Amino acid sequence: MECRVLSIQSHVVRGYVGNKSATFPLQVLGFEVDSINSVQFSNHTGYGHWKGQVLTAEELNVLYEGIKLNNVNHYDYILTGYSRDTSFLETVVDIIKELKRTNPKLVYVCDPVMGDQGAMYVPENLLPVYRDKVVPLADILTPNQFEAEILTGRKIYSVEDAIEVMDLLHKMGPETVVLTSTDLPSIQGDQFLVALGSQKTVKPDGINTTEKICIDIPKVDAVFVGTGDLFAAMLLAWTHHHPKDLKSACEKTASVMHHVIKRTIKYANEMAGPGKKPNAAQLELRMVQSKTDIENPAVVLGARVIQKKSQ
């Protein structure tokens, strides 16, 4: 069966971020991807200069209206990422609600891109829209630690805190929550980041099971852009292939990330030359070169189950 994704994210002419980070990997894995570009920029904003256009809520409506008029507004998945504008985000909410009415089995994967490391990089008035309107519609949510904290109003200082925050996010709507990065100490040492995930499933006998997993991801001393967008897209793909096995889905997702980042930093260092820090252009993700790893990732990062509950 054909599986179709509507991806509403940013677009760049040069490089990989937003839809450019998500579309190719999903297509490689057999998904049909329809893209709506929330912005169209020359390149990501980590460069010295960028130019481009921002899609308005009205323009988003016009595009969606065209899809609807042709009766091709049937999707299995929706994927959303970066948005800067409340009216745009509220229009996205309306579209998701309508598409879920059309297909009640539709799965919405939401990366609530708001900030990192204690600071917001979108206007603060987006937070209540995400918290009250977007997250309740999401089936799969991929916040970082900061985003999870501001959505729940709880700080994460320990694994126990993270478990509590993921449970609070479940109560808001999503059945699968993955904290893509945290500041929690890794059992493998300070060269690793800790990601955590939680999935609620209902077994055929009606028993509710919640499984929580933890995965240690090697740190790389560079700033990559578009990795969060790639993570959300790969989690969509691998949860599709492993719908009730978050451990396997996260292992494959994290392993794809690891292969792509490893290839990217190797190339960037070669391009920069000995003793020099790579620039933004050199650090663009090596996506096409990683096609084989995306299609069939060697699982190099294992996840461990930290909690399993049935009720």
Side-chain angles (χ1 to χ4, degrees):
M1 280 293 288
E2 181 176 285
C3 202
R4 192 169 285 272
V5 180
L6 176 63
S7 181
I8 306 174
Q9 299 193 60
S10 54
H11 169 81
V12 287
V13 177
R14 170 64 187 259
Y16 291 94
V17 68
N19 273 328
K20 282 284 288 286
S21 242
T23 304
F24 172 72
L26 284 170
Q27 287 172 329
V28 159
L29 287 165
F31 293 83
E32 288 286 354
V33 184
D34 294 357
S35 305
I36 293 178
N37 300 325
S38 56
V39 303
Q40 175 168 269
F41 287 171
S42 53
N43 44 270
H44 71 68
T45 56
Y47 283 74
H49 308 276
W50 69 91
K51 300 279 184 186
Q53 300 82 36
V54 176
L55 195 73
T56 65
E58 293 74 28
E59 290 163 339
L60 170 61
N61 250 328
V62 168
L63 286 173
Y64 178 64
E65 204 56 40
I67 294 167
K68 221 162 70 170
L69 286 168
N70 290 305
N71 195 29
V72 288
N73 58 328
H74 304 283
Y75 293 97
D76 303 286
Y77 286 90
I78 298 178
L79 175 62
T80 65
Y82 180 77
S83 177
R84 273 201 71 79
D85 177 70
T86 51
S87 60
F88 186 91
L89 195 54
E90 287 181 332
T91 304
V92 170
V93 166
D94 293 339
I95 290 171
I96 294 164
K97 282 180 178 171
E98 188 168 306
L99 290 174
K100 281 200 167 204
R101 283 195 295 273
T102 308
N103 175 17
K105 289 184 177 172
L106 180 142
V107 174
Y108 171 33
V109 181
C110 171
D111 186 7
V113 183
M114 286 183 283
D116 204 358
Q117 301 296 321
M120 285 186 82
Y121 40 62
V122 299
E124 290 193 8
N125 58 1
L126 261 76
L127 172 57
V129 183
Y130 269 113
R131 187 187 57 225
D132 304 335
K133 297 182 179 180
V134 179
V135 173
L137 289 173
D139 300 283
I140 298 173
L141 191 71
T142 61
N144 58 35
Q145 176 175 334
F146 173 70
E147 289 156 349
E149 288 175 340
I150 61 172
L151 283 168
T152 59
R154 297 285 180 92
K155 285 278 188 189
I156 295 172
Y157 299 108
S158 65
V159 171
E160 291 69 34
D161 293 338
I163 287 171
E164 195 178 315
V165 163
M166 289 191 289
D167 283 338
L168 286 169
L169 290 168
H170 281 315
K171 282 181 183 152
M172 290 164 76
E175 289 182 353
T176 301
V177 175
V178 177
L179 305 184
T180 55
S181 63
T182 69
D183 298 327
L184 296 174
S186 164
I187 58 168
Q188 297 199 42
D190 59 7
Q191 292 307 300
F192 286 80
L193 278 174
V194 175
L196 298 111
S198 179
Q199 185 176 50
K200 287 171 74 177
T201 50
V202 181
K203 294 196 168 168
D205 58 8
I207 290 176
N208 288 302
T209 303
T210 306
E211 182 171 85
K212 291 187 171 62
I213 59 111
C214 181
I215 191 161
D216 299 282
I217 300 169
K219 286 181 186 173
V220 178
D221 185 22
V223 176
F224 299 97
V225 179
T227 47
D229 309 318
L230 176 61
F231 189 100
M234 290 299 86
L235 191 66
L236 182 161
W238 293 116
T239 50
H240 176 77
H241 291 298
H242 304 284
K244 293 189 188 309
D245 184 358
L246 185 63
K247 183 176 180 290
S248 293
C250 283
E251 285 174 344
K252 287 190 177 176
T253 298
S255 294
V256 169
M257 303 296 299
H258 180 71
H259 295 308
V260 172
I261 286 169
K262 213 170 150 189
R263 184 172 285 107
T264 302
I265 196 69
K266 183 174 182 286
Y267 170 82
N269 285 333
E270 283 168 6
M271 287 291 106
K276 290 186 180 171
K277 264 202 172 310
N279 62 28
Q282 291 160 342
L283 285 165
E284 290 285 9
L285 298 177
R286 303 295 282 166
M287 203 74 85
V288 174
Q289 297 77 6
S290 303
K291 177 177 173 286
T292 307
D293 289 320
I294 293 165
E295 276 183 299
N296 190 18
V299 174
V300 290
L301 300 177
R304 59 189 187 278
V305 176
I306 55 170
Q307 190 187 76
K308 199 164 188 166
K309 279 185 176 177
S310 295
Q311 57 189 48

